Amino acid sequence: MDKFKKFTGARSGKIIEGLSEVKEYLQNYGYISESATNFTNSFDEMLVSATKLYQQYYNIEQTGRLDEKTIGQMMVPRCGKRDIGNDTSFMQHSANHGNLQSIAHYEIFEGRPRWKKRALTFSFLPQNKLPDNYKKTIARGFSKWQAVTPLSFRETGSYSKADIKIGFYSREHGCGHAFDGVLGELAHAYAPPFGWFHFDNDENWVVHQGDQLGHNSKDPTMLTAIDLESVAMHEIGHLLGLGHSVDRNAIMFPTLTYGVRKIELQKDDVDGIQSLYGANPDSSESSPSSHAQNLFRGTPAVSRWWGPTLLAAKPAMALVDIIFL
Ligand SMILES: [Zn+2]
Ligand SMILES: [Zn+2]
């Protein structure tokens, strides 16, 4: 996405070599109609309105120009699933949490697809021979979503019968969305009832155990290192039926800033998933919202997982993951 830097300051009426790629980017994420083709390099009305829509989504002043903030946002690693478009219905509604009036920012796929049964199984592609700490990391992600819903997740050795099939693949792998080597697309997951959960095998996945690195983990200071748990948490939300959230702290926010480990569900994630499935009946909290509030009291949304020196030297990073319906 570093290639977008040169467009900083671009505005209506300009013609700039390569500007069509910004239009393609905005189209990929739902800001330009899918039917539009043959993009030109001219900063036309289409680009102005798409830019404004993008700025609205990311809460940036709607200038319609590719100003510094807008280009900066476009350069942040992100999920490949579109922000707005046909496959999701944007849910921004008022929810009454006690005396506190707050806005939910989560998104549900159109038609509200969700799992009909509550006890779900997941299984790892046997050929991957995944290390145990990879499996534990992904299983930990499931248990966090389980804690706030009536759903339960259990690993099964029977891959073909599992509801959720987890596999690490390189390049073309038969699901219709090829991976692309290091960085770019990192993972994708399908909404219910498909249960396909695919990771890009070419990424340098980093696994943590507590605050320690897992034993066969890659070096987290590598500029291409990707935190497996952060990506898994986000993708599981899609597997269960959640789209993206506009809440920056939410697990379901489409971008993951480089060097940030983001593994705890936030209130908006919980509100979203509970709108589909209800709360966990075993929870001691009767009200979903107070449960969520208690759960997250004092929980930081994100934690840095390597030092500030490296962060200062951050390179241009590509997409974090990609999810399609
Ligand atoms: Zn996503
Ligand atoms: Zn796939």
Side-chain angles (χ1 to χ4, degrees), residues 79-81 234-235 238 244 252 254 321 323:
C79 173
K81 201 194 84 56
H234 179 95
E235 302 300 334
H238 289 318
H244 284 150
M252 297 316 294
D321 65 349
I323 300 92

Side-chain angles (χ1 to χ4, degrees), residues 167-188:
F168 283 66
Y169 299 95
S170 294
R171 306 288 170 177
E172 191 58 63
H173 56 279
C175 91
H177 299 288
F179 284 125
D180 55 358
V182 177
L183 296 181
E185 304 181 6
L186 303 187
H188 49 234

